[in-house]
Amino acid sequence: MQILKENGIDWRERRLISNLYMAQSVKVRLNRGETRRVKTGRGVRQGCCLSPILFNLYSEYLTKEALEGLGDFKISGQIIHTVKYADDLVLLAKEEKVLQDMIDKLIEIGNKCGKNKSNENFKTTIASKNYD
């Protein structure tokens, strides 16, 4: 909710979103009937029109907060930190140490926001272009 507040979302909309997303429970319908109700922990509701908006707000906040001042990958003179597609995030850096610093900071900020990640959640690919 803090991220919504920092993005200027009015308290009435935050309360509505909170009521929609907090204390949810689900049942799964199977051929033999329905399961008992199970409380859901976190995440956005699948199929809800707000889900992609909330996901993008959270993702933007997290990457902006974590990568501020980091990164050295420039395209047309502008530093590019990330490329995003759906729920994938690509970090861009010229040096491996800078890339590792970006990952560490992203994990740190994510953990503060309740998104528990570790280095095992990341896949690293190093691409380079030789001019020799």
Side-chain angles (χ1 to χ4, degrees), residues 3 6 20 38 58 69 76 78 85 102 111 116 128-129 131:
I3 293 170
E6 289 179 18
L20 283 171
V38 178
Y58 179 84
S76 298
Q78 186 171 357
Y85 181 77
M102 292 169 82
N111 287 340
N116 298 321
S128 66
K129 187 173 184 179
Y131 295 103

Side-chain angles (χ1 to χ4, degrees), residues 1-18:
M1 288 292 136
Q2 186 63 30
I3 293 170
L4 295 176
K5 184 177 183 179
E6 289 179 18
N7 278 284
I9 306 298
D10 185 65
W11 69 270
R12 289 174 284 258
E13 281 83 22
R14 290 195 316 267
R15 185 178 63 193
L16 175 64
I17 291 167
S18 178

Side-chain angles (χ1 to χ4, degrees), residues 26-30 32-38:
V26 296
K27 283 184 181 181
V28 178
R29 187 175 295 151
L30 304 169
R32 62 175 199 263
E34 293 180 344
T35 63
R36 62 179 174 79
R37 284 199 175 275
V38 178

